[in-house]
Amino acid sequence: MKTIYVVRHGQAEGQEPGAKLTENGVQQAARLVSFFGGRQVDCILSSPFKRAYSTILPLARQRGIQIQTDERLAERVLSGGSHPEWREMLRRTYDDLDLCWEGGESGRAAMKRAAAVVEEVLNSHYTSAVLVSHGNLISLLLKLYDDRIGFAEWERLTNPDVYQLSFRDELPEIQRIWNP
């Protein structure tokens, strides 16, 4: 069996790639170290966005594991511009995974890149990995394995959040294990 922990980054100062963790986000990152205390972790892969990398850095240091950044774990771009109705736009992309707003990425395309990271971990020698990413991409990855997951589940994600994917067969058992 292989286990993949999917971690949403801690509370951040903004959405841009260089946004730092807030003071609360720094404390959340420290809490993740004790949260993972009794769990095996063989490798850590992270979005290159600062808030994701900074969220898992304390655990990586404590375990002596080098973080591998992977562009495929970066935040999904919904559209090329700023829109006041972005939440409704996002909701619609869960109903139509091929819907792609101008300058953005479809839900299906985002799922595909996240799934490629998971497949590489499953085909590696690692038995337990941590993937650190962003709420929209994480919810789409979970939806790939359980179609009941959608916009409402995205709305319920917390910063941070942790899901455990246990692979015995092709479809994993999905369990939310973070208790905020």
Side-chain angles (χ1 to χ4, degrees), residues 1-15:
M1 182 174 83
K2 292 204 178 198
T3 303
I4 297 178
Y5 299 102
V6 181
V7 177
R8 184 184 191 193
H9 63 80
Q11 185 182 60
E13 294 177 351
Q15 294 298 310

Side-chain angles (χ1 to χ4, degrees), residues 76 78 89-97 99 101 107:
R76 173 188 178 205
L78 181 62
M89 292 170 68
L90 179 63
R91 187 197 60 72
R92 289 181 54 198
T93 67
Y94 283 93
D95 297 334
D96 179 356
L97 292 173
L99 177 59
W101 302 104

Side-chain angles (χ1 to χ4, degrees), residues 135-159:
N136 187 215
L137 189 68
I138 289 170
S139 63
L140 287 167
L141 177 62
L142 298 175
K143 183 175 181 59
L144 176 68
Y145 300 119
D146 184 348
D147 193 47
R148 296 172 296 178
I149 295 172
F151 182 75
E153 289 71 26
W154 167 80
E155 285 185 307
R156 287 193 287 271
L157 287 173
T158 61
N159 292 94

Side-chain angles (χ1 to χ4, degrees), residues 1-175:
M1 182 174 83
K2 292 204 178 198
T3 303
I4 297 178
Y5 299 102
V6 181
V7 177
R8 184 184 191 193
H9 63 80
Q11 185 182 60
E13 294 177 351
Q15 294 298 310
E16 60 279 350
K20 297 178 183 178
L21 293 176
T22 63
E23 186 54 43
N24 187 37
V26 171
Q27 293 170 8
Q28 292 166 339
R31 280 184 55 210
L32 283 169
V33 174
S34 60
F35 177 81
F36 278 101
R39 293 178 168 89
Q40 179 182 345
V41 175
D42 298 328
C43 79
I44 299 172
L45 297 112
S46 174
S47 159
F49 285 29
K50 186 171 188 132
R51 61 188 179 272
Y53 189 90
S54 298
T55 295
I56 208 63
L57 185 58
L59 177 66
R61 285 182 174 155
Q62 189 262 346
R63 298 285 180 103
I65 298 173
Q66 183 172 352
I67 300 170
Q68 301 170 47
T69 58
D70 193 317
E71 289 287 336
R72 296 172 296 178
L73 295 174
E75 180 70 278
R76 173 188 178 205
V77 175
L78 181 62
S79 73
S82 180
H83 300 278
E85 68 280 3
W86 69 269
R87 288 179 75 85
E88 176 58 21
M89 292 170 68
L90 179 63
R91 187 197 60 72
R92 289 181 54 198
T93 67
Y94 283 93
D95 297 334
D96 179 356
L97 292 173
D98 294 313
L99 177 59
C100 186
W101 302 104
E102 186 176 337
E105 177 182 32
S106 73
R108 192 172 313 280
M111 270 182 180
K112 189 175 181 177
R113 67 178 164 92
V117 177
V118 170
E119 283 302 313
E120 285 179 16
V121 171
L122 293 176
N123 292 321
S124 74
H125 66 281
Y126 300 118
T127 58
S128 181
V130 173
L131 306 183
V132 187
S133 191
H134 308 271
N136 187 215
L137 189 68
I138 289 170
S139 63
L140 287 167
L141 177 62
L142 298 175
K143 183 175 181 59
L144 176 68
Y145 300 119
D146 184 348
D147 193 47
R148 296 172 296 178
I149 295 172
F151 182 75
E153 289 71 26
W154 167 80
E155 285 185 307
R156 287 193 287 271
L157 287 173
T158 61
N159 292 94
D161 215 331
V162 183
Y163 281 81
Q164 178 178 307
L165 280 59
S166 302
F167 288 87
R168 290 184 201 280
D169 300 308
E170 286 186 34
L171 289 179
E173 176 184 320
I174 301 171
Q175 182 179 6

